[in-house]
Amino acid sequence: MRFYLDEDLAPAIAVGLRKRGIDAVSAHEVGRIGLGDTEQLAFAAGQRRCLVSKNARDFGRLGHAAVDQGHPHAGIVLCPPRMGGGNVGVIIGALMAIAGRYPAGLGEYDVLYL
C-alpha cells in the first residue's frame, strides 16, 4: 500500500507511516501545495498511490466521476472532518489498519471512509 496525503493533512502523518514501514508521502514534502483536487488525484494516480484527504465532499465526487468517465486512480481514503488534519496519531492508526487490510493497495476506483 502506498499513500499520498493531500495538503489538508499534516506532513507528520506521512513521516509516522514511514517510521512504521509504510510508503507514504505528503503533498507538502513533494511540493504539490495549492494545486486543485483534480491535479492532486491525477498526481496520486500517476504515482500509483492512494490519495488520502479530509476533503470528503470534493474527492468523493471525483471518485464517482472517475467511474463515470473511465479514469482510474489508485484509490481514495477520506478522513471525516471530525478527525481534523492534525489528529496525527488517530489518522496514522487508521491508515495502518487499511494498509494491513489491503497490502497490495486499493482497487482503481475504490473510495474508503475512515
Side-chain angles (χ1 to χ4, degrees), residues 26-33 35:
S26 163
H28 298 268
E29 296 171 321
V30 295
R32 309 250 343 141
I33 303 301
L35 298 176

Side-chain angles (χ1 to χ4, degrees), residues 10-95:
I13 296 168
V15 173
L17 288 168
R18 288 194 301 269
K19 287 181 180 178
R20 292 162 177 82
I22 302 295
D23 185 344
V25 296
S26 163
H28 298 268
E29 296 171 321
V30 295
R32 309 250 343 141
I33 303 301
L35 298 176
D37 296 338
T38 302
E39 288 123 335
Q40 295 288 21
L41 184 58
F43 176 78
Q47 298 286 307
R48 302 186 63 79
R49 293 182 177 279
C50 174
L51 183 132
V52 184
S53 178
K54 69 176 187 172
N55 185 352
R57 181 179 32 170
D58 292 340
F59 281 107
R61 180 183 48 77
L62 286 174
H64 289 291
V67 173
D68 292 342
Q69 298 167 4
H71 293 229
H73 49 75
I76 300 171
V77 173
L78 299 169
C79 303
R82 72 182 181 282
M83 276 186 153
N87 202 342
V88 174
V90 172
I91 295 172
I92 288 172
L95 293 175

Side-chain angles (χ1 to χ4, degrees), residues 1-3 22-23 48-51 73-77 95 97-112:
M1 182 69 146
R2 302 175 72 213
F3 292 112
I22 302 295
D23 185 344
R48 302 186 63 79
R49 293 182 177 279
C50 174
L51 183 132
H73 49 75
I76 300 171
V77 173
L95 293 175
I98 288 173
R101 187 169 181 190
Y102 302 95
L106 297 179
E108 57 188 17
Y109 293 107
D110 289 347
V111 177
L112 298 180

